[in-house]
Amino acid sequence: VLRVGRNGGTGVLNALNNGNILVENSSTGSAVLDVGRDAGSDGTLTANDGSTVSIATSGLGAGTSSINIGRDGSTGIATFDNSALTVGDFLSVGRNGTGILTLQNGAIATNTDAAGLTRIGREGGTGTLEVVSGSSLTANNLRLGSDTGSTGTVTVDSGATINLTDTVQVGQDSATANT
């Protein structure tokens, strides 16, 4: 588990110039990256110029892998500029907090598990996803504004793509969704 900005603190994590960050759990339990966790906290993650951020589990009995950007009353901002994000199970932006995920200048984000779930705005949170300037997001399932009181916003510009292979839910359970 890696937490960037927790318990009222501020945290910054950078993967620059072909840098690599791997959050992995190869035994029981889960691999988790929280960018902003707990009320009053601020977390920032920046990856650029060919850098990669991967959240993965492996081995028998391994749990789930997830990234949460803006969780439990915090603010989380993650920017991928010509870089890559890979997560196996859950990608959440604005999970009972405020989260912004920006993919720009050819950045690639991939949610790899067949049952994987990408949520933008959940559990009363506000989530924003921006996929711009030739960037892409590939996921199996997308929920935009899921759970009561949540708001999810997605922006995709010319040349950028979101590739979905399964379910899309927009504005679930009295939530607000903007595209």
Side-chain angles (χ1 to χ4, degrees):
V1 175
L2 175 59
R3 294 195 168 108
V4 182
R6 183 164 189 211
N7 293 332
T10 298
V12 176
L13 178 63
N14 296 314
L16 307 175
N17 304 315
N18 291 309
N20 297 299
I21 297 170
L22 172 62
V23 179
E24 182 177 39
N25 189 348
S26 59
S27 61
T28 59
S30 297
V32 179
L33 172 57
D34 287 327
V35 181
R37 171 80 187 258
D38 304 318
S41 301
D42 295 302
T44 303
L45 168 62
T46 302
N48 72 5
D49 296 331
S51 297
T52 61
V53 176
S54 302
I55 303 94
T57 57
S58 62
L60 290 174
T64 60
S65 60
S66 62
I67 182 170
N68 299 289
I69 303 166
R71 181 174 177 183
D72 297 336
S74 70
T75 298
I77 299 171
T79 304
F80 288 81
D81 187 334
N82 186 32
S83 53
L85 167 65
T86 303
V87 60
D89 296 297
F90 303 107
L91 167 61
S92 295
V93 182
R95 180 180 176 184
N96 194 29
T98 300
I100 300 170
L101 172 58
T102 302
L103 307 172
Q104 62 191 25
N105 298 318
I108 299 169
T110 307
N111 187 319
T112 60
D113 191 90
L117 183 57
T118 298
R119 289 184 180 169
I120 312 301
R122 69 179 277 208
E123 297 176 9
T126 299
T128 302
L129 170 63
E130 299 169 334
V131 184
V132 297
S133 305
S135 298
S136 67
L137 167 70
T138 299
N140 295 301
N141 301 292
L142 174 67
R143 291 187 184 161
L144 178 58
S146 79
D147 307 315
T148 300
S150 300
T151 300
T153 301
V154 173
T155 301
V156 181
D157 79 356
S158 175
T161 59
I162 294 179
N163 304 301
L164 302 170
T165 58
D166 200 350
T167 305
V168 177
Q169 294 177 334
V170 179
Q172 178 185 11
D173 297 331
S174 301
T176 302
N178 305 297
T179 56

